[in-house]
Amino acid sequence: MKIRADIVRMYREIHSWVGIVCGLFLFVAFYAGAITMFERPLQDWASPPVSLSPPVALERVPELLEKTFAEHPEARKSYTVVLHPTPSQPATLVWGVPQRMHGPSVANYSALAEDGSLVTVKQSPSEAAHFINMLHQQVGLWMPHEAGRLFMGIVALLYAVALISGTLVVLPGLIKNLFAIRLGQNAKRMWLDLHSMLGLFSLPFHIIMALTSVVFAFHDEIYVAEHALLGRSAVHQQMHGHSPSDQTEGHQQQRISGDLRVPLEPAQIVVAIAKQAPGFSPETLIYDRSHGGHLALRVTGSDPRYGARGANGGFAGVDPYSGKLLSTDYLPGHQTFPMAVLTSFFVLHFGSFGGEGVRWGYAVLGLAGAFMFYAGNQLWIVSRRRRERGSGRVEDTRATRVLCSLTIGCSLGCVAGVSAVLAVAPLHSVVGKMLPIQIVYFATFLSCVVVCFCFRERLAIRLLLVASAVLTFLMPVSAAFVTPFSHATTSSLIVDGVALLYGAFLMIWAVRPQAGQPLFRKEGVSGLNRA
């Protein structure tokens, strides 16, 4: 494809400057996003064994509820029946959970001892995995969530501009250079080939991420615009996941039923859902009386045949007295066409389809995307150095030094910071709350940036890679310190194994002669300063 040279130069300039402006933010977003693909397994891994009796069978849940309500009447207000307990939710009955949109909360777990007596344990789970998710959503900034959401939207818009301009730049030489990675040539050519290859082969993924991120960031503004164009009722339906008529009908049914009957047993609810939504596998039954004292029920779960709005599945509103589905706007496979289209944005962004293969694929693409942004910044730095050397300068200008230090410090600072957070995650009794975890991450992150400003480039890269490797190696060590090997699950062992492999990769990358470079190259062609 032929494009005029002046147009290509214009788009190259746009791509370069937009990439420099948002590249570091996007590195953090993609790296943390790749880790977030395994938020639930990491939450389970970081949760130590709870001194609690084994979860009760579904048939004994009514007995468990009766005894819990007798000793703790406040549990009636809000409680959850967990159908498939996990290390992070070790009991069948969870109650007293604060009303939060996302993230783990302090909760009470109830079980029955061997003699039938009630056993209740209060636990404060680690928020490390949730913090990494927030880091992803707020592109690495420590600010209120609302402000971070809007800033993320601006970065996503710039990201889309960079995608379009970058694609137009490489189109003229696409066929010739598609599979060309010139490793033995100069640093600029190497970084350019790596950056272009990663961008082109994952372009559909990046388009999806840019588009869905913009939708997430400005969804409130989109609803306001719809309100002005379509009227209040349409917006109400989209924001709350059901139509006003469905909501009114459901509340009337629950109000009438609540006056005459007792709720169905959880086992009966599961059977009723199986008849109405074959293929949907319920995971939790969430009961709530905060709306006028009337009991409401929301059932969460998944259907492997369909994608879901949330990373962990979909949900439906259910009448707790009859088991009838009241709201299916977020129930996989039972949505209206408009809601299915809206859900598709979430499905594509979270990768909540296709099972573990897609999850791992998204994680790999996320890590590759992060390295693509790092390679783009390195390409800009090498190109700028070449121009400076051509003009007779021996040392880098201040702008080049600052950008180089920020590129290495922010990128490897993010890697080290995430590893530090996960290394302390099992020690949730000490640093399990959000504020201590934030302090751990940002202290590590800022320390890495300071190291890059204080040491020469090659030495700084080597030091930060070694630090990142050591912190990653500490993950299984801290987990073993809190959770004995005899209590380890298959999921936790996989997390430990991946941590050891990744730590080894970082250490090998650090001790190589060309530390921080993607591959070995000839001496004398590196664009990095000597240590």
Side-chain angles (χ1 to χ4, degrees), residues 1-205:
M1 180 178 179
K2 292 185 178 181
I3 302 178
R4 282 169 35 195
D6 58 327
I7 296 178
V8 173
R9 283 195 300 271
M10 178 188 69
Y11 280 112
R12 183 179 291 113
E13 288 294 319
I14 294 174
H15 181 76
S16 297
W17 284 106
V18 171
I20 289 298
V21 170
C22 63
L24 297 181
F25 297 112
L26 290 171
F27 179 95
V28 177
F30 271 71
Y31 187 85
I35 306 299
T36 300
M37 293 303 301
F38 305 98
E39 181 176 2
R40 176 178 286 187
L42 286 172
Q43 183 64 39
D44 292 343
W45 168 80
S47 302
V50 177
S51 299
L52 192 67
S53 303
V56 303
L58 192 59
E59 293 74 18
R60 297 191 65 189
V61 171
E63 177 188 356
L64 177 62
L65 289 172
E66 181 181 355
K67 292 183 177 180
T68 301
F69 294 158
E71 292 192 21
H72 305 279
E74 67 276 13
R76 291 180 179 271
K77 183 177 180 181
S78 178
Y79 59 94
T80 299
V81 175
V82 181
L83 302 179
H84 307 289
T86 65
S88 59
Q89 284 189 315
T92 304
L93 179 61
V94 184
W95 55 275
V97 180
Q99 294 297 318
R100 291 182 56 181
M101 289 297 294
H102 303 285
S105 304
V106 177
N108 299 283
Y109 301 101
S110 292
L112 296 176
E114 292 183 359
D115 59 0
S117 61
L118 181 69
V119 179
T120 301
V121 173
K122 189 173 184 178
Q123 186 188 46
S124 176
S126 172
E127 296 193 57
H130 177 60
F131 166 75
I132 295 174
N133 190 4
M134 291 297 99
L135 197 71
H136 159 67
Q137 294 182 25
Q138 298 179 191
V139 292
L141 299 177
W142 191 351
M143 61 171 60
H145 182 67
E146 188 66 19
R149 177 181 65 83
L150 295 176
F151 187 86
M152 181 269 289
I154 295 172
V155 171
L157 288 172
L158 293 174
Y159 172 32
V161 172
L163 287 176
I164 296 171
S165 57
T167 303
L168 292 174
V169 167
V170 300
L171 278 179
L174 180 61
I175 302 300
K176 178 182 177 181
N177 300 318
L178 183 59
F179 295 99
I181 302 180
R182 284 148 284 200
L183 303 176
Q185 298 187 22
N186 57 55
K188 178 182 177 181
R189 176 57 60 185
M190 179 195 67
W191 287 116
L192 175 60
D193 289 343
L194 286 171
H195 180 74
S196 300
M197 182 197 68
L198 291 172
L200 282 173
F201 281 100
S202 57
L203 183 59
F205 174 77

Side-chain angles (χ1 to χ4, degrees), residues 286-441:
I286 304 173
Y287 295 85
D288 183 69
R289 292 183 181 273
S290 60
H291 300 285
H294 301 289
L295 185 64
L297 171 61
R298 185 175 68 177
V299 179
T300 69
S302 60
D303 189 332
R305 299 171 300 174
Y306 304 97
R309 175 185 174 90
N312 298 318
F315 59 89
V318 179
D319 183 353
Y321 303 99
S322 67
K324 179 183 177 181
L325 293 175
L326 299 178
S327 173
T328 60
D329 284 328
Y330 297 107
L331 181 61
H334 296 266
Q335 298 176 291
T336 62
F337 179 75
M339 292 305 300
V341 172
L342 180 63
T343 299
S344 66
F345 286 97
F346 294 86
V347 171
L348 291 172
H349 189 88
F350 295 138
S352 53
F353 64 95
E356 290 299 314
V358 172
R359 187 184 300 272
W360 279 97
Y362 265 53
V364 171
L365 286 170
L367 294 175
F371 187 76
M372 182 191 72
F373 299 119
Y374 177 81
N377 274 34
Q378 285 287 7
L379 172 62
W380 191 92
I381 292 168
V382 171
S383 299
R384 186 179 177 90
R385 280 179 175 154
R386 173 175 291 186
R387 291 194 300 269
E388 291 173 356
R389 300 300 181 268
S391 64
R393 295 188 64 92
V394 178
E395 297 291 335
D396 293 341
T397 62
R398 179 180 298 178
T400 303
R401 290 198 304 270
V402 168
L403 180 61
C404 181
S405 298
L406 287 176
T407 295
I408 299 169
C410 292
S411 300
L412 295 183
C414 173
V415 175
V418 169
S419 294
V421 166
L422 293 176
V424 302
L427 310 175
H428 75 282
S429 59
V430 180
V431 289
K433 299 298 183 182
M434 182 61 75
L435 181 59
I437 288 174
Q438 288 175 325
I439 293 174
V440 168
Y441 173 81

